[in-house]
Amino acid sequence: MALLEISDLSISFGGIQALMNFDLGMEEKEILTIIGPNGSGKTTLFNCVSGVYHPNSGDILFQGKRLIGLSPDFIARRGVARTFQNLRLFLHMTVLDNLLLGRHIKFHKNPFNAFLRLRKEELRHREVVEEIIEFLDLQAYRQARVSDCPYGVQKRVEVGRALATEPKLLLLDEPIAGLTSEEKEETAYRITEIRGRYETAILLVEHDLRIASKLADRMVALDFGQKIAEGSPEAVQKTPEVIRAYLGDEADHKMDH
C-alpha cells in the first residue's frame, strides 16, 4: 500500500482551474520533488493534502485512510506535517518554545491520569525537541527570540517544528528559497538526513532545479494545474513540455532548430 495516493484531484478558484485531474502516489521514505512555474498549482497541492483547501473532486488517501474533509489539525495528527513559503513562526517566542509548540498534537488529554503522567510526558516532549535542536544545529539560538534570528535559522526552526510532530510525510514548500549558496547546500544535506533519521517521506516543492534534482528519487512537473511529466529528475527536465513551461517561446525556438 502506498503511503500517499492522490487520484483525479481537481480544484478551482473563481473560474481558474488550480489543479485538474491530478494523480500522484508516494511510497514510504521516498523523496519526491514537485517543480513548475509560478502559479502551476504546487502550493495548491500542498494546501489540499494538508487540509487547508477542500478540492472540488478527487480523493487523497494517506496510509489507506481518506484525508478529504479533515481539518489541518486532524491531518497533522495522522502524520502529515508541512512548512510554508512564507514562514509561519511565532516571532516573539524563543526558538525552543516554537519547537515545543510542534509537540502540542502529542499531548494526552485524559484528566484522570494527566497529573500522574504530566512530568513523564513533559520530559518526553523535551527530549524530542532537544534531539531536533542538535540535529538542526540550533543550540546557539535555543533561547533567542525567533525575530532576532537570521533568516536561514528561522527556516531551520520551521522545519524543526514540523519534525516535532513526528510525521510520516513531510511537505516542504521551497525550503531553500532566500538562502545563501552555502545554506542551500546545508539544507539539501539535512533533507536527505531527515529521511534516514526520522524515517519520513518528503514531498518537496522547489524552484532550484539543481537542488531539486540532487534530492529527488522521483520528480513531477506541473503547469497550469496539470501534470506534464513524471519520472527521474533527468528524464523530467528533458521533457519538451517541461522545457517549454520554463522557457516559453525561447524553448519553442530552440526545439524548432
Side-chain angles (χ1 to χ4, degrees), residues 159-176:
V159 171
R161 189 174 63 183
L163 287 176
T165 68
E166 299 183 85
K168 286 297 180 185
L169 174 62
L170 179 60
L171 312 179
L172 298 178
D173 198 348
E174 298 190 33
I176 67 169

Side-chain angles (χ1 to χ4, degrees), residues 171-187:
L171 312 179
L172 298 178
D173 198 348
E174 298 190 33
I176 67 169
L179 300 182
T180 66
S181 296
E182 182 179 352
E183 287 172 333
K184 287 181 178 181
E185 294 297 331
E186 290 176 356
T187 301

